[in-house]
């Protein structure tokens, strides 16, 4: 009974007492009768001489009020401390559990469960399953650590096996109690474990959390003074979970209790106003053609001012975001073309990460309809092979970036004119290695470097005495415009140096991005 009385005198609720005993069967925490039985069993096993009477409540009457919430006694708030607390001072019992601040009691009531269920319903997500994630105020690990330290000093023989996982256990107990009840109200399946896509995020707050954490200044004033003096470095957060853990773990129990002999008083319960839903990102992939020479791939701003009204990204993503009801997006592609370059052939592979999507279940027919809507909304862009892919699949977009090949057609001009013999000398070139310094036109946004790039195929089609088409297959990342005009000698060799003539480029098309991803769909 000594350990039990100690935890009662400290001010722990029954669920917390069972957690200190290391009981890991989460289902047993749902029913107060089972909790009492498990505590009684633990006491009997550890102290055979103890009374066999049930502990915690008067079994002659149905528990009411705080007792139903898992508190040890109906006079919990007023009964004088008659036990021996060891390192903890004697004082009136708190009205809230000293350890969990009633997370495992009031936080499990019908009112809070209904509120959490409404948050899920109001979110209007079509996910069929959900999990619950809880982020605890920093005062809870502080409180639990102090109680454990005092408990182990008072009872050295008491098992400390579950001490390191106590916070996790508290979270799991709470989730296991509220989860099934939320399930019955929302008609969504409650799941536990990692990597559940749809989550209810609950962030209970405690009014005196910062005040409680100031106690840690007694342990490590230098650390927290430094964090206060450098707010930008620590995002204005003086106390964080990692900082609190670091300080607590750096002191022995004896050292800790000398400085912090007891947990902070529980002045209030937790507030549950901060609740919201999140869903893991959904990824939509496809290939796009770009037919305009006045359209950037992504929104184009210079010094905060928009240069061109739209972009490939916006023409595609607006309808996708609307359909899937995402909060925001991230657009990625296999390379990018300049604003004045068309993208033809099979198109350029792309993927859209849709952040916090509300609609995730789209059939193949619905994806086809969405693709058709995008294509009918503009004549500047066309989308093919639109489909939902997994996160693991998108690595294909960037893998072997420099090993991919791309095919181009460039309309070129030789101002002084040319004859067939001049262009014929290009036929003998089977492959070419270029040394390209970062082009002047992109030097403001890319680091200065010299990159080696390969041209695998090269051929020409004369149009008249000045103009000709240049067909190339190159290593991805090759600057085609600079290969043609030389970029003031920053690309060597270049077409002008090979022909011995000034050559310039009039227009450029991407004809193929040789990446077989995403998988082709029936068109």
């Amino acid at each position: 009974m000594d350990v039990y009385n100690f935890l009662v005198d400290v001010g722990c609720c029954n669920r917390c007492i069972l957690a200190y005993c290391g009981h890991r069967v989460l289902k047993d925490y749902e029913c107060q009768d089972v909790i009492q039985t498990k505590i009684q069993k633990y006491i009997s096993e550890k102290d055979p001489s103890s009374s066999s009477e049930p502990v915690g409540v008067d079994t002659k009457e149905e528990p009411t009020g705080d007792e139903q919430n898992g508190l040890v006694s109906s006079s919990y708030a007023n009964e004088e401390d008659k036990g021996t607390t060891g390192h903890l001072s004697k004082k009136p019992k708190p009205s809230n559990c000293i350890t969990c601040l009633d997370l495992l009691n009031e936080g499990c009531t019908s009112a809070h469960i209904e509120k959490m269920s409404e948050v899920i319903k109001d979110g209007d997500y079509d996910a069929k399953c959900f999990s619950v994630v809880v982020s605890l105020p920093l005062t809870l690990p502080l409180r639990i650590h102090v109680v454990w330290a005092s408990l182990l000093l008072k009872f050295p023989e008491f098992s400390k096996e579950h001490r390191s996982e106590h916070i996790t256990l508290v979270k799991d107990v709470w989730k296991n109690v509220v989860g099934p009840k939320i399930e019955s109200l929302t008609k969504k399946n409650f799941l536990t474990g990692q990597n559940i896509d749809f989550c209810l995020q609950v962030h209970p707050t405690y009014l005196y959390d910062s005040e409680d954490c100031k106690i840690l200044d007694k342990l490590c004033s230098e650390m927290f003074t430094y964090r206060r003096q450098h707010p930008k470095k620590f995002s204005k957060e003086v106390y964080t979970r990692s900082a609190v853990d670091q300080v607590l773990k750096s002191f022995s129990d004896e050292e800790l209790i000398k400085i912090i002999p007891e947990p902070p008083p529980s002045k209030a319960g937790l507030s549950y106003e901060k609740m919201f839903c999140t869903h893991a990102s959904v990824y939509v992939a496809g290939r796009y053609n770009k037919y305009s020479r006045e359209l950037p791939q992504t929104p184009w701003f210079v010094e905060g001012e928009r240069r061109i009204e739209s972009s490939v990204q916006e023409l595609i993503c607006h309808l996708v975001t609307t359909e899937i009801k995402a909060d925001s997006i991230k657009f990625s592609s296999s390379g990018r073309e300049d604003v004045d370059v068309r993208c033809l052939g099979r198109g350029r592979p792309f993927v859209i990460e849709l952040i916090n999507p509300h609609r995730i279940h789209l059939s193949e027919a619905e994806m086809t309809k969405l693709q058709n809507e995008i294509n009918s909304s503009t004549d500047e862009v066309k989308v093919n092979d639109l489909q939902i892919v997994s996160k693991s699949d998108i690595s294909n977009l960037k893998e072997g970036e420099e090993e991919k090949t791309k095919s181009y057609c460039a309309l070129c001009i030789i101002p002084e004119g040319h004859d067939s013999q001049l262009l014929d000398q290009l036929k003998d070139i089977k492959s070419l290695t270029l040394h390209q310094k970062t082009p002047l036109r992109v030097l403001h946004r890319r680091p200065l470097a010299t990159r080696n790039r390969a041209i695998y195929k090269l051929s020409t089609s004369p149009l008249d005495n000045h103009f000709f088409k240049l067909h190339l297959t190159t290593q991805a990342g090759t600057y085609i415009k600079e290969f043609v005009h030389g970029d003031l000698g920053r690309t060597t060799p270049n077409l002008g140096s090979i022909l011995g003539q000034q050559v310039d480029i009039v227009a450029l098309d991407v004809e193929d991005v040789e990446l077989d991803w995403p998988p082709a769909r029936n068109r």
Side-chain angles (χ1 to χ4, degrees), residues 347-365:
R348 186 182 298 278
F350 70 90
V351 65
I352 309 166
E353 179 184 359
L354 294 129
I355 299 168
N356 195 25
H358 290 237
R359 189 178 180 207
I360 58 172
H361 298 291
L362 277 79
S363 65
E364 186 171 337

Side-chain angles (χ1 to χ4, degrees), residues 221-290:
S221 61
E222 291 184 5
M223 171 192 285
F224 297 111
T225 298
Y226 180 79
R227 294 174 73 93
R228 290 188 182 92
Q229 292 173 344
H230 299 82
K232 291 184 179 180
K233 184 176 181 179
F234 299 101
S235 302
K236 298 182 179 181
E237 294 186 20
V238 176
Y239 304 103
T240 62
R241 177 64 189 270
S242 60
V244 171
D245 287 346
Q246 180 182 342
V247 171
L248 293 176
K249 290 177 181 178
S250 63
F251 286 83
S252 67
D253 289 342
E254 291 86 351
E255 294 170 330
L256 178 70
I257 295 303
K258 284 180 182 178
I259 302 172
I260 306 177
E262 59 189 5
S266 54
K267 298 180 180 179
L270 299 173
S271 172
Y272 298 87
E273 299 303 316
K274 192 176 180 182
M275 293 188 285
F276 54 90
C277 295
T278 59
H279 195 289
S281 295
V282 166
Y283 299 87
V284 172
R287 302 179 82 103
Y288 74 79
N289 294 113
K290 173 167 111 53

